[in-house]
Amino acid sequence: LSEVDSLLSNLKSALSAKEIGARAGYLYKDTGKKPQPNQMPLEKLALTHQFGTSTIPARPFLSRAQENAQARAQKLIDIRLDQNVTISDLCLEIAAIMQAEIKNQIVKGSFVPNSPATIIRKGSTRPLVDTGNLLQSVHFSVITKTGEKIVS
């Protein structure tokens, strides 16, 4: 039990000091990618869909993904505590879970349907999916004492 307590204590300390962590989302600025001319930056598009506007209903795919990822991460931590895994490896797994949950919400989440005009314009009834760019551009990274590394 003392090893588990020690690991949890080290994890809490590292997270509090922002020395280690996981991140997922639209990190294209960090990957060097730039939005196409006349195209809304992806993080702005994601937030537009997340919170909605006066003409676009909210489709909270990020917050739903976060809830699902937190539940999955807690289960993973419970399993990994007894396996002598490093905190960095654990963060890597959690970051991958976060990325997968965001993508899953884009593809399978249940949201307010597209308007008839949007369906005609994009030729699809699926909210959040148009060109596929929002789905394909979800990345994840691991934060360590030496910096942040985008893994995928």
Side-chain angles (χ1 to χ4, degrees), residues 76-144:
L76 177 71
I77 290 168
D78 292 344
I79 292 166
R80 294 290 187 251
L81 282 176
D82 294 331
Q83 296 177 347
N84 202 25
V85 68
T86 67
I87 294 174
S88 293
D89 288 343
L90 186 58
C91 285
L92 181 66
E93 288 184 77
I94 292 170
I97 287 171
M98 292 164 51
Q99 178 192 45
E101 287 296 339
I102 293 170
K103 288 184 172 190
N104 185 54
Q105 283 298 316
I106 291 171
V107 174
K108 296 181 181 177
S110 176
F111 300 107
V112 174
N114 286 330
S115 72
T118 301
I119 294 169
I120 290 169
R121 180 185 57 77
K122 58 183 232 187
S124 170
T125 59
R126 184 73 199 131
L128 303 179
V129 178
D130 190 356
T131 64
N133 206 16
L134 195 64
L135 177 66
Q136 295 165 1
S137 298
V138 180
H139 296 285
F140 71 89
S141 66
V142 175
I143 302 161
T144 65

Side-chain angles (χ1 to χ4, degrees), residues 5-17 20 77 81 87 90-91 94:
D5 290 335
S6 176
L7 179 62
L8 283 174
S9 176
N10 290 342
L11 179 60
K12 286 180 185 176
S13 174
L15 290 172
S16 296
I20 194 154
I77 290 168
L81 282 176
I87 294 174
L90 186 58
C91 285
I94 292 170

